[in-house]
Amino acid sequence: MKLLHVDTSPKSERSNSRALGRYFIEKLALRMPSLTVDHLDLVTDPAPAMTEAFTIASYTPAADRTVEMQHALVASDALCARMLDADALLFAMPMYNWSMPAAFKAFIDAVVRAGITYVATADGRYVGALGTKKILFLTTRGGDLRPGSPLAGMDALTPALRAAFEFMGAVEPCFIDAQPVQFAQPDDRAAALGRARAELNRVADAWSGHFGSATA
Ligand SMILES: Cc1cc2nc3c(=O)[nH]c(=O)nc-3n(C[C@H](O)[C@H](O)[C@H](O)COP(=O)(O)O)c2cc1C
């Protein structure tokens, strides 16, 4: 099973989302010795910035693109290929100002591609290409946005991720949100990380059951 693991936090050793992502992969590898991981770090290897050339090229049919248009799409094509090549996707990121880090938004803008990750049908529907993939969004939040908390209504991250990836065909993507991991007492932070790790173990069980645990 091939996993594309995308990291987004600008923090390195101190990052909660990076640590939880590593934890998940460790647990998954124990269950699935054949696991291979393609790691994409959007901080050191950012998705391309949006350009006018890209916006024109991406909506021009592939057969009609000039060489310049093809060049404008090279980095995006490569990111789409990495995503489509994986059986499962792990996207780890902090919540920033109630939504996603700009680095991850740039990734989304690069991979939502007509004719590659989705197609528009003649009868007006959109069909995405991610339908067979297992997808996990692992988000870390400094505050507590769980139901019942005063901040619960502020979550603009989950719906934005859901919309973009369900448009690309994601079916029942999984969300694990570690919270509160910054603006809280140490015991509450530790409990939040513990809850997240327990959920990650459950997803590792589910994925190894789905893909099978055979060695390569
Ligand atoms: C620029 C910035 C904006 C943030 N915005 C939010 C926010 O809107 N809500 C929240 O709960 N935490 C917010 N936080 C806290 C982070 O989500 C939290 O510290 C998280 O654990 C960071 O993940 P990381 O450790 O993987 O970098 C913000 C942190 C930064 C640096």
Side-chain angles (χ1 to χ4, degrees):
M1 192 271 261
K2 184 168 185 181
L3 173 74
L4 174 65
H5 170 207
V6 179
D7 264 319
T8 316
S9 173
K11 289 196 262 173
S12 49
E13 287 311 305
R14 279 180 285 186
S15 162
N16 285 305
S17 59
R18 285 178 187 268
L20 289 171
R22 284 195 300 272
Y23 176 87
F24 176 66
I25 288 169
E26 252 173 49
K27 300 302 166 195
L28 200 55
L30 286 174
R31 292 161 171 83
M32 305 182 69
S34 64
L35 178 72
T36 59
V37 180
D38 175 15
H39 185 226
L40 170 60
D41 188 332
L42 289 174
V43 177
T44 55
D45 192 7
M50 191 53 57
T51 61
E52 182 175 14
F54 177 97
T55 64
I56 294 166
S58 65
Y59 291 109
T60 300
D64 301 335
R65 285 180 196 142
T66 63
V67 171
E68 288 73 24
M69 286 179 181
Q70 290 167 21
H71 281 155
L73 297 175
V74 165
S76 158
D77 288 344
L79 287 176
C80 291
R82 278 174 86 169
M83 196 166 70
L84 293 175
D85 189 42
D87 305 299
L89 308 171
L90 164 62
F91 300 112
M93 74 194 73
M95 171 180 274
Y96 276 179
N97 296 306
W98 317 111
S99 187
M100 68 188 80
F104 198 75
K105 182 58 168 58
F107 175 78
I108 288 179
D109 291 340
V111 297
V112 180
R113 283 281 307 279
I116 302 181
T117 52
Y118 75 92
V119 291
T121 65
D123 59 352
R125 290 176 303 115
Y126 295 100
V127 179
L130 302 186
T132 60
K133 301 187 193 304
K134 288 288 181 194
I135 303 179
L136 169 59
F137 294 101
L138 169 52
T139 83
T140 50
R141 292 110 182 262
D144 193 346
L145 287 81
R146 287 176 295 165
S149 117
L151 296 176
M154 301 293 282
D155 182 3
L157 174 56
T158 310
L161 294 173
R162 193 179 279 288
F165 282 82
E166 288 184 351
F167 183 70
M168 291 189 283
V171 177
E172 294 181 10
C174 184
F175 290 83
I176 294 181
D177 307 314
Q179 56 190 336
V181 294
Q182 185 176 352
F183 313 121
Q185 296 303 311
D187 284 356
D188 293 330
R189 293 204 295 265
L193 294 172
R195 283 192 300 273
R197 283 192 286 265
E199 287 182 63
L200 290 167
N201 276 298
R202 284 195 286 276
V203 175
D205 282 341
W207 284 16
S208 61
H210 175 82
F211 289 109
S213 56
T215 52

